[in-house]
Amino acid sequence: MGKIEMYHIEYEKPKVTLLQQSGLGVAEIAARTCYDSFENSENECVKNAMQTLDTDAINDIDDSELLSNLAWVHHHHSIIEHATLSYLIQGTSRGVLQEHARHRLQAISVRSTRYTMSSVINAFVASLEAEEGFAFFFETLLTLNLFVISDKAYLQIEIRAIYDKLRFQYQRDNDFIQNAVAKSSLPFLEEHKGDAVALYAALESGKKKRNVGDGFKHIVTDNWKVDMVVTFNIRSLKNYFDLRDSGAAWFQIQWLAEAMKAVTPVKYLKLIDKDHRNKA
């Protein structure tokens, strides 16, 4: 993942991989069904679809004059909702997630904090046995690569805030340890008393506390790194790119939109992106 400096803070850019594409054929079949115009298609598999349906050939279609005409001349975009793309997004931020979720017509599955915070909580519990608790916590969290920020000076601010919030909770909650550590791992606390490194290793190798994030999600910041899988139909993808691949958009979501567009096949972009249409 590339690194870039914004506001004198160094950030990592997200990585995007195209997982699947449905093709344009279903969208053309849908359009031809509306107009009963199968015989006018330049694609033989569409022309003969009502007599002999070759779904493999239909899903391999790379171009459609009808879809282009409907998209750019008549602005009839509902037809292209039948074409979908799925992306694996790695290393964007929870701040981007909040912006991204405003795009209603998408399927989105996001890395859960409920089930994936145990290493952070283990690091804090182990830090209680360290002579310099924050120093141990800070160095341990650096190894987990949890943030889109890679600037170590700024990370110290982020991680200090997390540490302070956990410390505040620990001092007020008599059940903190029981909520943080699986029952089968509780003996490790006595076994490795005074040895933060050994305790952290033992907690990490032991059973993870189920839903550990439920009691600790308040520590998460907008710069917390998340992975997600998103699926858009290309009408919704057009709206996403129009709004987010724009100088008016927040820089982190611009980076994501740029990375998504970079892995989107040209046959779809020709229907939804003016720059690619003009190159066609």
Side-chain angles (χ1 to χ4, degrees), residues 13-81:
K13 284 191 170 183
K15 176 184 176 183
V16 178
T17 306
L18 182 66
L19 293 177
Q20 71 87 24
Q21 52 179 305
S22 68
L24 296 176
V26 174
E28 183 175 347
I29 291 286
R32 296 288 176 195
T33 299
C34 291
Y35 300 109
D36 194 17
S37 61
F38 290 91
E39 71 278 1
N40 296 330
S41 178
E42 75 275 23
N43 295 301
E44 285 298 317
C45 58
V46 175
K47 187 178 292 187
N48 300 321
M50 300 306 268
Q51 287 76 43
T52 306
L53 194 60
D54 185 343
T55 54
D56 289 337
I58 287 169
N59 288 325
D60 285 339
I61 289 173
D62 285 331
D63 206 2
S64 169
E65 293 174 6
L66 176 61
L67 293 181
S68 181
N69 189 47
L70 290 173
W72 294 112
V73 178
H74 300 290
H75 305 287
H76 185 182
H77 294 127
S78 65
I79 296 302
I80 60 175
E81 291 177 356

Side-chain angles (χ1 to χ4, degrees), residues 2-194:
K3 295 182 180 180
I4 193 166
E5 190 172 283
M6 290 292 295
Y7 312 121
H8 308 292
I9 301 169
E10 195 174 72
Y11 290 82
E12 291 184 10
K13 284 191 170 183
K15 176 184 176 183
V16 178
T17 306
L18 182 66
L19 293 177
Q20 71 87 24
Q21 52 179 305
S22 68
L24 296 176
V26 174
E28 183 175 347
I29 291 286
R32 296 288 176 195
T33 299
C34 291
Y35 300 109
D36 194 17
S37 61
F38 290 91
E39 71 278 1
N40 296 330
S41 178
E42 75 275 23
N43 295 301
E44 285 298 317
C45 58
V46 175
K47 187 178 292 187
N48 300 321
M50 300 306 268
Q51 287 76 43
T52 306
L53 194 60
D54 185 343
T55 54
D56 289 337
I58 287 169
N59 288 325
D60 285 339
I61 289 173
D62 285 331
D63 206 2
S64 169
E65 293 174 6
L66 176 61
L67 293 181
S68 181
N69 189 47
L70 290 173
W72 294 112
V73 178
H74 300 290
H75 305 287
H76 185 182
H77 294 127
S78 65
I79 296 302
I80 60 175
E81 291 177 356
H82 294 284
T84 62
L85 298 163
S86 296
Y87 303 86
L88 170 63
I89 297 167
Q90 296 171 275
T92 194
S93 71
R94 286 189 68 85
V96 168
L97 174 61
Q98 292 175 24
E99 299 264 329
H100 193 93
R102 292 172 182 159
H103 293 266
R104 303 291 194 268
L105 297 179
Q106 63 171 307
I108 180 169
S109 299
V110 184
R111 189 175 190 265
S112 168
T113 50
R114 292 181 72 198
Y115 294 97
T116 60
M117 286 180 66
S118 59
S119 292
V120 176
I121 307 307
N122 287 342
F124 176 77
V125 172
S127 77
L128 299 172
E129 301 300 327
E131 190 171 326
E132 295 290 338
F134 174 67
F136 175 85
F137 186 75
F138 177 67
E139 293 300 329
T140 303
L141 259 63
L142 286 182
T143 68
L144 301 178
N145 191 24
L146 294 172
F147 303 91
V148 294
I149 290 172
S150 51
D151 187 305
K152 192 169 181 178
Y154 196 90
L155 279 174
Q156 188 160 26
I157 298 170
E158 288 275 17
I159 294 173
R160 166 64 77 176
I162 290 173
Y163 178 81
D164 287 347
K165 285 186 278 189
L166 287 171
R167 187 86 189 178
F168 180 90
Q169 185 174 350
Y170 170 71
Q171 290 171 342
R172 294 196 173 204
D173 182 4
N174 293 329
D175 295 323
F176 184 98
I177 296 297
Q178 285 69 32
N179 293 331
V181 178
K183 188 175 181 179
S184 59
S185 295
L186 289 174
F188 295 147
L189 276 69
E190 194 61 38
E191 182 179 341
H192 300 291
K193 198 167 186 61

